[in-house]
Amino acid sequence: MAVSSGRSGIAASIIPALLGSLGGFLLSLLFMQTTSDVDAGSFNNDYRYGRGLDEVEEEEHHEEGPEDEEEFELAVSESIVVIVLVLIVITIAFERAKETIEEAVDRNLKPIIESLFGELTILGFLSLFTFCVTKMGFFEALSVRIFGEEEAEELLELFESVHYALFFVMVLFVLLVLKLVSDGMKTEEEYHELDRETRDPQHIAKCVDRVAQAEQTPVPFLRRCKLLFTSAFPSIRSRRNASVADLLHFYALRREFILERSVEPPFQPAAEKNRVPEDFAFGRYLSISLGHTLAHSVHLGMTTWLCIALFTILFFFVMMAAEAQVVILAWVWAGLGLLLFLAGNIFDVHLDNINKSYAKFTIPSNGGTDQESQPLVGAPNGSEGEDLPPWCSIDFEAYLQSRSFLTKALAKAKPNRQDSLFWLERRGPHMCTLAFQLNLIFTAIYGALLVLTFLPAIYKHSSTGVFMSYVVVSIAPLLVTNIQRRHIAASMTQATSMGIHRKCQIVSHVTIEEKTAAVVRAFVVVNKLLYAAEHDLLANPSAPIDLDPARSLSSVERADIEKTFDGFDPDSSGSISPQELKDILLALGAPVSDETMDKIINALDEDGDGSIVKDEFINFYARNIMADNDERSLDERAHDMFKLFDKSGDSSITIGEFKTALDAFDYNFTVDEVGALIEELDEDDKGTIGPHEFHHLLHKFGSMFKSHRPRELPLV
């Protein structure tokens, strides 16, 4: 998937929609302001000459004739029409913005958008409640009881001010969530890169050698100070997981995830037949888990609202202690912003410690020279102490004796060693979600009241120097917390998706995706063979060695292409005969002539022995697909492939037609896996796959057609 283009799509498409919405809102305000100005002007003129309200109304009643009444009714009708049209424009702009976000965001992050708009629905109900209570006159009667008859509107004004402040809080909350979605897409990219790099044993061996050499040199004093600072503030270390240390830790996490150790001594890994394969897409698993984790974090539950209510009560007592002096409260509020950052950092360190306890990469005594020959999952027994992750060495008996009464009461269930890593043990993931929710909503509350109340108050009652100092002190926690939140989201995802918190449903989903990726590659190969044979675009295998893309494939890329080859080799003989290839093309409904078939075989069969071996297939794939010598765009290729599978020509692929295409290759899809794949593709629930849904399938796996090179990462 082109993630970067997705982010630019958000920027390019949502901005006009938001501007349209804002323009409509300003237009309605301008119209209402003009009307109110005219009425206020005539009202003030009447009172300027000493006439009372009753006199004015009586005079207007006598002066008004039938023509004036018709003009007034016409003006009212015109005003209603304009207001309705403006509201419709705003609604359309809002819906357009929502659709734009949903189209540009990766499917893994769409649950976040759904949860976000669910919270906006609650805000709509609050507005409806405010309108109903206002029209019932409840606040006027209660205001007279509290403030007296002279302040009959006071309570209503206070309620409306609080309502608008809450609305502004939700606006900031929406902006924070959209920033979180953008950060999530960057984190997905990083997971994808780390996963590919950790599956490359040669690259890992080079990284280990670099670390081993660095450990032989003394660390300068300033570097040691920086390391101590970044260990205390993990989110400040880097805005991206772009260091060798992070790469090796990701490698260790992936290793432990595949081993799936028992939580009981001697912590044996699961039997090899019962665990995920060594080439499991761990980065993809974390990407999907990230979307689910953030979606739960955005959905504010009852506990979160109760915490907000408790905070409101506590701040009321602070106001009473400060005697409601706004300058004092403003500095107290800035201090709360600093506490918000420190609380987030404590949470971040806690998550960082959990992830370090899940897995630890140990540098071999001989550097990385032997790493290349070692399998990813290490020794099958996992009994060697140096191979065990840190959580296995917890003194569990001592921990059970040291548990507090509060922990026992809230955690309820008896913990295991991995539970002991979390606050509240077994309920740790729920506690993490709650903490992240509070971080989000309190950041929005802090920013809203800072802008609406405390910044204007300091500007009004203090000097320019004090005001500028307050701006720096109060805004800094907002900026740093915004940087901090991305690291917290990634760390929380890893902490709540490992070990006993493994999400089996997502594991199954990723397994199906891996098979689907192989099928999509096979579709692309078939399409490329047919198109290139027709237009004489098959690359010449006799190109110079130093320019041959087949010579620069990484081990990960070769392994992925080999999976595609297996689908063309139904008898697992290690070679594809011309008849086997022709049978596949015919099964897909491709019009294959003898001339076309000869061109295809000549391009694939480099040694002319009459069969296509794995290396020849890999060479073709590298030269013709990864090198991308096709002038067609991805959408054009998707359109051509769709026509190949749409045998009825009705611009839709039925379930039967799609299953026939899958069965043409030997990828061992089960009935349940085919059903799950079709359910995911069929976005509109019509029971068929349309062109846009098929295009989405190709775009989703579009990144695998490009060559990937490991990055040269800094050590720390």
Side-chain angles (χ1 to χ4, degrees):
M1 172 184 292
V3 181
S4 59
S5 63
R7 287 200 302 274
S8 63
I10 293 179
S13 302
I14 193 175
I15 290 177
L18 291 179
L19 288 178
S21 178
L22 180 62
F25 179 68
L26 293 177
L27 179 62
S28 62
L29 285 181
L30 179 62
F31 175 79
M32 291 186 288
Q33 182 66 35
T34 303
T35 306
S36 63
D37 287 345
V38 173
D39 293 341
S42 60
F43 182 79
N44 291 333
N45 287 336
D46 290 331
Y47 272 87
R48 188 178 298 126
Y49 293 104
R51 292 182 293 177
L53 180 61
D54 295 336
E55 296 177 14
V56 173
E57 290 180 349
E58 183 178 357
E59 181 179 341
E60 289 178 351
H61 178 73
H62 287 295
E63 291 179 355
E64 286 180 355
E67 295 182 358
D68 295 331
E69 291 182 0
E70 290 179 1
E71 291 179 0
F72 178 78
E73 292 177 357
L74 180 61
V76 170
S77 301
E78 291 175 348
S79 301
I80 292 174
V81 170
V82 172
I83 292 173
V84 170
L85 292 177
V86 168
L87 292 177
I88 290 175
V89 170
I90 295 175
T91 302
I92 293 174
F94 182 81
E95 288 296 327
R96 176 58 183 163
K98 178 183 176 183
E99 292 173 0
T100 302
I101 295 173
E102 290 177 342
E103 290 173 0
V105 169
D106 182 19
R107 276 194 174 189
N108 303 333
L109 302 177
K110 281 188 178 180
I112 310 176
I113 304 300
E114 295 172 359
S115 297
L116 172 62
F117 285 103
E119 297 303 319
L120 293 181
T121 303
I122 295 176
L123 186 62
F125 279 112
L126 287 177
S127 300
L128 179 62
F129 172 78
T130 302
F131 175 79
C132 294
V133 171
T134 302
K135 290 300 180 182
M136 291 170 60
F138 173 76
F139 284 109
E140 286 83 352
L142 189 59
S143 183
V144 170
R145 281 177 169 269
I146 298 175
F147 302 104
E149 294 185 359
E150 295 181 356
E151 303 291 342
E153 301 292 331
E154 181 69 19
L155 189 60
L156 178 60
E157 292 177 0
L158 288 174
F159 186 84
E160 289 179 347
S161 298
V162 172
H163 176 248
Y164 289 136
L166 180 60
F167 179 82
F168 192 58
V169 168
M170 293 305 295
V171 169
L172 287 183
F173 182 77
V174 169
L175 295 178
L176 289 175
V177 172
L178 292 179
K179 178 64 168 61
L180 200 60
V181 171
S182 177
D183 288 342
M185 296 173 76
K186 296 175 185 177
T187 303
E188 281 190 338
E189 286 185 66
E190 192 63 31
Y191 282 151
H192 180 72
E193 291 289 343
L194 289 172
D195 187 57
R196 296 189 69 88
E197 290 167 350
T198 52
R199 288 166 56 193
D200 188 344
Q202 296 178 356
H203 183 62
I204 292 296
K206 291 179 181 178
C207 291
V208 172
D209 283 336
R210 290 178 60 193
V211 174
Q213 293 173 9
E215 289 183 346
Q216 304 300 322
T217 58
V219 181
F221 175 75
L222 293 179
R223 175 63 62 85
R224 287 201 301 270
C225 294
K226 181 180 179 181
L227 291 175
L228 288 174
F229 179 78
T230 54
S231 63
F233 299 95
S235 59
I236 310 299
R237 177 177 64 225
S238 174
R239 299 199 64 181
R240 298 175 67 87
N241 292 333
S243 71
V244 171
D246 292 316
L247 176 66
L248 296 182
H249 182 253
F250 191 90
Y251 177 95
L253 280 176
R254 187 172 185 276
R255 175 180 183 269
E256 288 300 319
F257 183 86
I258 292 174
L259 282 174
E260 196 176 356
R261 294 182 188 275
S262 169
V263 295
E264 301 296 333
F267 313 112
Q268 293 282 0
E272 189 170 355
K273 64 179 182 179
N274 295 330
R275 61 194 188 208
V276 297
E278 294 185 13
D279 58 354
F280 179 77
F282 181 59
R284 181 62 179 161
Y285 167 81
L286 289 180
S287 296
I288 300 176
S289 299
L290 176 67
H292 286 252
T293 300
L294 295 183
H296 290 133
S297 302
V298 170
H299 179 68
L300 304 180
M302 183 184 300
T303 306
T304 306
W305 289 111
L306 289 176
C307 291
I308 296 173
L310 178 61
F311 170 79
T312 304
I313 296 172
L314 292 176
F315 193 72
F316 168 75
F317 288 113
V318 174
M319 291 175 59
M320 298 297 294
E323 298 180 352
Q325 296 186 31
V326 68
V327 175
I328 297 177
L329 290 175
W331 285 103
V332 170
W333 195 251
L336 290 177
L338 179 60
L339 288 178
L340 178 66
F341 162 70
L342 293 177
N345 188 71
I346 292 173
F347 181 43
D348 196 9
V349 172
H350 172 64
L351 294 172
D352 207 41
N353 290 334
I354 293 175
N355 288 320
K356 290 177 180 177
S357 299
Y358 272 136
K360 179 182 179 182
F361 190 94
T362 304
I363 303 297
S365 58
N366 59 346
T369 55
D370 293 338
Q371 282 289 321
E372 187 173 344
S373 60
Q374 293 178 357
L376 173 66
V377 294
N381 57 8
S383 58
E384 298 181 17
E386 63 179 4
D387 288 334
L388 293 177
W391 64 266
C392 296
S393 60
I394 294 175
D395 188 346
F396 197 54
E397 295 299 328
Y399 171 79
L400 291 177
Q401 294 177 3
S402 64
R403 294 172 74 209
S404 65
F405 173 78
L406 182 62
T407 301
K408 293 178 182 179
L410 295 178
K412 297 181 180 179
K414 184 179 179 181
N416 56 45
R417 281 177 171 80
Q418 290 186 2
D419 289 329
S420 66
L421 300 175
F422 288 88
W423 295 331
L424 298 186
E425 300 171 346
R426 188 65 57 87
R427 297 179 61 83
H430 300 286
M431 181 67 181
C432 291
T433 301
L434 176 62
F436 195 76
Q437 287 178 346
L438 293 176
N439 181 278
L440 268 177
I441 192 64
F442 276 116
T443 301
I445 293 173
Y446 175 81
L449 292 186
L450 184 66
V451 172
L452 294 177
T453 303
F454 296 116
L455 281 175
I458 291 293
Y459 181 78
K460 181 178 180 181
H461 296 94
S462 302
S463 63
T464 303
V466 173
F467 174 73
M468 296 303 297
S469 300
Y470 183 79
V471 169
V472 174
V473 172
S474 59
I475 296 296
L478 278 178
L479 300 178
V480 179
T481 303
N482 194 41
I483 298 173
Q484 182 187 66
R485 194 172 295 111
R486 179 187 170 189
H487 188 269
I488 292 177
S491 298
M492 183 172 67
T493 298
Q494 295 173 15
T496 58
S497 304
M498 292 286 297
I500 59 173
H501 303 295
R502 169 192 297 250
K503 297 175 173 59
C504 297
Q505 187 175 1
I506 298 179
V507 171
S508 300
H509 183 83
V510 173
T511 303
I512 296 175
E513 277 195 348
E514 285 293 286
K515 290 185 177 181
T516 306
V519 170
V520 172
R521 286 193 191 92
F523 289 166
V524 172
V525 169
V526 169
N527 176 258
K528 181 65 177 181
L529 286 171
L530 297 174
Y531 182 83
E534 182 180 353
H535 296 83
D536 294 326
L537 294 176
L538 293 171
N540 184 8
S542 60
I545 293 179
D546 56 341
L547 300 178
D548 191 352
R551 304 289 179 178
S552 58
L553 291 175
S554 67
S555 59
V556 177
E557 291 169 334
R558 289 186 66 89
D560 290 339
I561 302 173
E562 286 174 359
K563 292 180 184 178
T564 306
F565 173 84
D566 293 339
F568 288 86
D569 183 20
D571 57 2
S572 301
S573 62
S575 63
I576 307 171
S577 68
Q579 187 59 45
E580 287 175 336
L581 181 57
K582 186 174 183 179
D583 291 341
I584 291 175
L585 297 178
L586 292 176
L588 293 173
V592 183
S593 64
D594 292 339
E595 181 183 358
T596 300
M597 200 65 201
D598 290 339
K599 289 182 180 180
I600 292 174
I601 297 300
N602 290 335
L604 292 171
D605 185 16
E606 297 179 7
D607 56 11
D609 63 351
S611 63
I612 305 159
V613 297
K614 188 172 295 186
D615 285 341
E616 292 172 337
F617 184 89
I618 292 174
N619 292 342
F620 167 82
Y621 193 97
R623 293 165 183 155
N624 293 274
I625 295 177
M626 299 188 73
D628 197 12
N629 59 353
D630 196 334
E631 71 275 8
R632 296 175 299 168
S633 66
L634 195 61
D635 286 333
E636 291 172 334
R637 281 178 275 181
H639 178 71
D640 291 342
M641 278 185 272
F642 183 84
K643 290 194 301 182
L644 177 64
F645 302 132
D646 181 20
K647 296 181 174 60
S648 58
D650 58 354
S651 296
S652 65
I653 302 175
T654 64
I655 295 176
E657 289 172 339
F658 190 69
K659 189 175 185 306
T660 300
L662 294 178
D663 291 341
F665 303 98
D666 187 29
Y667 291 119
N668 299 320
F669 273 93
T670 65
V671 175
D672 292 338
E673 289 174 341
V674 173
L677 177 58
I678 292 175
E679 183 178 354
E680 180 185 0
L681 291 175
D682 185 17
E683 297 178 357
D684 51 13
D685 296 325
K686 292 183 178 180
T688 59
I689 302 172
H692 67 285
E693 293 164 337
F694 192 83
H695 288 199
H696 170 78
L697 175 67
L698 202 62
H699 276 282
K700 180 177 181 179
F701 298 99
S703 61
M704 67 187 180
F705 307 136
K706 300 177 182 178
S707 180
H708 296 268
R709 293 291 172 268
R711 300 166 295 177
E712 288 296 328
L713 300 176
L715 286 174
V716 292

